[in-house]
Amino acid sequence: ALAELPALITLLKGISDAQWVKANLNEWGTSWPDPADRTSTGYDNPIVVIGAWSSFSWDSQRGQLMLFGGGHGNYAGNEMYLWSGSTRLWGRGSLPSKVTGISISGTPVFMPIDGAFNGPPSMHMYDNTNYLAASDRNLIFNGPPCNNGNSSPVKPDGSGGYLPTGPYLWDPSKADPAKVGGTTGSAMNPAVVGGNMWQDRDVVGLFQVTTFAGTFGLGQSDGTSAAAVEGGKDVVYFTGRGSGTVYLMKYTINDVSNPALDTMAAMGGTHSTFGPYGAAGLDTRRNFYIALGENTAQKFIGWAITGASNINTHAVALSYTVTGGLTFPVTGTSTQVCGIDYDSALDCFMVWDGAGDVWKLAPPANNLITGTWTLTRTTEGATISAGSKPANMNVAGVRGKWHFIPNINAFMALEGDTDDGNVWLYRPPGWVAPSFLTVQES
């Protein structure tokens, strides 16, 4: 069930269509762990988490934003952050694990002190986090971990070496700001109780599909993803890299308590001259996946999902027309650092440039692959005063920081790379407040 969020609905009713409103009442920095509870690795300042290619997912059941990040050369803490749509306040879902350095090709990768099966390292997330509604879990795909951007979470191989592991599920029902996400004794203060919040699916082998030349990247650098529920099961469509080629994959969790039943299918390949990069959305009505393009000449990359695994279903650079004689994006930023998601209420995709501009990408009436899409700027950022729109602070791109929120029929954006952690709501054109039927017990 979707959480009812009257506080956010009130905010949206107070603005007009195609306008922004800031939703958070406190700063994100107020939820950081105390310095004594942070990892003592030199990568111990959480101020970098939002700006370090992080992404958030939206827990529609509880009405909360879930933020996880850090990684590579930025931050070693693996705590979860939460922002409540009910209270409009930032909080924390866990304390970080103490970490230890595991040597991978001579470079230490910081992993939780209690081992990979009890929690992930901090990682760059790009567009690699998703709330799984059927399983009620937050999925964390692998990304570059702290201190090594060319590796992934690892587990011992039994012979003194290490093998890749992951992805991870985090259980929001176990959230507790005073507990470490792993086991008791694994925090910087060994007296801290463990919340046992993480589950390592340890199914990387599924991601090494035999039709691929080489090892497929499990949603790693610059990955894109989007989740859905199909037949009562959680599925995640995502792109990652393998031997220089990008594939669209479908990961299915058949039983949240049994990772051995997870399955993987290759849904399509890509063209040899372009590929997805940074963020994506899934049209659940037409089964159509759109990712932003890494090549400025191919800004939108689309896959028609047929339901069957087909490695020969190649991505297509979508043809589109920009209305109003504009160019996209007008700020001069690259498409690959924007955010994109599907608006199920308006039945279109919406694109955010990271500042004030929002664009509507509407499908053609005919063939989605060969037809011409329409791109229309709905919000002109240049005409909105500072303080009434997100500040353009996302040097690394907004990627997975822009999501359609079904609880409010509107979009949510996470701004910036400071301790503010401003959460913004965007009211789409033709916005209608969602109606909820609350059944009273007799």
Side-chain angles (χ1 to χ4, degrees):
L2 297 179
E4 298 184 34
L5 302 174
L8 300 190
I9 295 296
T10 297
L11 287 177
L12 289 165
K13 287 183 176 179
I15 60 175
S16 301
D17 285 358
Q19 287 189 340
W20 296 90
V21 61
K22 187 166 76 73
N24 56 299
L25 293 176
N26 65 339
E27 292 189 356
W28 165 59
T30 61
S31 64
W32 294 349
D34 290 336
D37 290 321
R38 302 176 197 169
T39 59
S40 56
T41 60
Y43 301 99
D44 54 6
N45 190 346
I47 195 171
V48 301
V49 167
I50 291 180
W53 295 274
S54 67
S55 60
F56 75 82
S57 52
W58 176 255
D59 178 348
S60 56
Q61 176 177 315
R62 297 167 186 80
Q64 63 182 4
L65 177 159
M66 298 180 287
L67 172 68
F68 180 85
H72 199 186
N74 298 98
Y75 180 63
N78 67 350
E79 68 269 22
M80 187 71 67
Y81 293 98
L82 305 174
W83 181 81
S84 168
S86 297
T87 66
R88 298 170 55 192
L89 296 174
W90 278 102
R92 196 176 60 249
S94 66
L95 285 169
S97 305
K98 186 177 181 179
V99 300
T100 184
I102 296 174
S103 180
I104 305 294
S105 299
T107 301
V109 175
F110 293 126
M111 293 293 296
I113 195 73
D114 53 348
F117 291 110
N118 294 303
S122 65
M123 296 179 283
H124 288 345
M125 284 289 94
Y126 301 98
D127 187 28
N128 293 335
T129 61
N130 291 274
Y131 175 67
L132 306 181
S135 303
D136 188 28
R137 297 291 189 274
N138 190 23
L139 173 68
I140 304 296
F141 270 148
N142 292 359
C146 189
N147 207 42
N148 191 340
N150 299 313
S151 184
S152 67
V154 293
K155 64 178 181 179
D157 66 0
S159 301
Y162 298 95
L163 293 171
T165 190
Y168 288 84
L169 298 183
W170 186 77
D171 188 345
S173 70
K174 296 181 178 181
D176 189 325
K179 293 182 179 179
V180 65
T183 56
T184 297
S186 64
M188 289 298 291
N189 178 354
V192 169
V193 174
N196 301 297
M197 305 174 193
W198 292 100
Q199 181 194 40
D200 181 5
R201 301 302 282 182
D202 191 31
V203 292
V204 174
L206 291 178
F207 294 74
Q208 298 174 5
V209 181
T210 56
T211 55
F212 297 166
T215 301
F216 182 76
L218 197 162
Q220 48 188 327
S221 296
D222 305 310
T224 76
S225 67
V229 176
E230 297 179 2
K233 300 175 181 178
D234 289 304
V235 300
V236 182
Y237 294 93
F238 71 97
T239 61
R241 300 182 182 276
S243 297
T245 304
V246 180
Y247 299 92
L248 178 66
M249 302 292 293
K250 180 181 180 180
Y251 174 47
T252 303
I253 294 182
N254 291 290
D255 184 345
V256 69
S257 64
N258 189 356
L261 299 179
D262 291 359
T263 60
M264 183 69 57
M267 307 306 294
T270 188
H271 195 279
S272 60
T273 60
F274 60 81
Y277 188 106
L282 175 66
D283 178 341
T284 52
R285 296 186 186 181
R286 300 171 184 84
N287 292 325
F288 200 77
Y289 187 94
I290 295 182
L292 300 177
E294 63 179 339
N295 186 323
T296 56
Q298 286 90 24
K299 292 183 171 64
F300 301 101
I301 312 301
W303 274 276
I305 300 171
T306 63
S309 177
N310 186 355
I311 195 63
N312 295 314
T313 302
H314 292 295
V316 174
L318 301 180
S319 173
Y320 66 93
T321 299
V322 182
T323 62
L326 301 171
T327 58
F328 167 79
V330 296
T331 59
T333 59
S334 170
T335 310
Q336 62 190 228
V337 299
C338 295
I340 185 172
D341 204 5
Y342 175 67
D343 185 329
S344 59
L346 286 180
D347 190 24
C348 65
F349 289 85
M350 301 292 280
V351 184
W352 175 43
D353 74 347
D357 279 332
V358 176
W359 300 73
K360 176 182 178 180
L361 181 64
N366 50 13
N367 192 296
L368 298 176
I369 294 292
T370 61
T372 301
W373 294 64
T374 303
L375 189 63
T376 306
R377 186 170 64 178
T378 62
T379 303
E380 187 176 351
T383 65
I384 304 174
S385 61
S388 298
K389 63 180 178 181
N392 189 11
M393 305 170 67
N394 296 282
V395 177
V398 292
R399 301 172 188 261
K401 301 183 181 75
W402 168 252
H403 292 292
F404 176 74
I405 307 301
N407 310 66
I408 56 176
N409 278 348
F411 279 80
M412 182 174 291
L414 180 58
E415 170 200 284
D417 51 5
T418 70
D419 58 356
D420 294 342
N422 288 331
V423 177
W424 289 85
L425 306 181
Y426 171 75
R427 177 170 153 168
W431 179 76
V432 177
S435 58
F436 293 94
L437 177 63
T438 302
V439 179
Q440 302 290 338
E441 293 184 357
S442 59

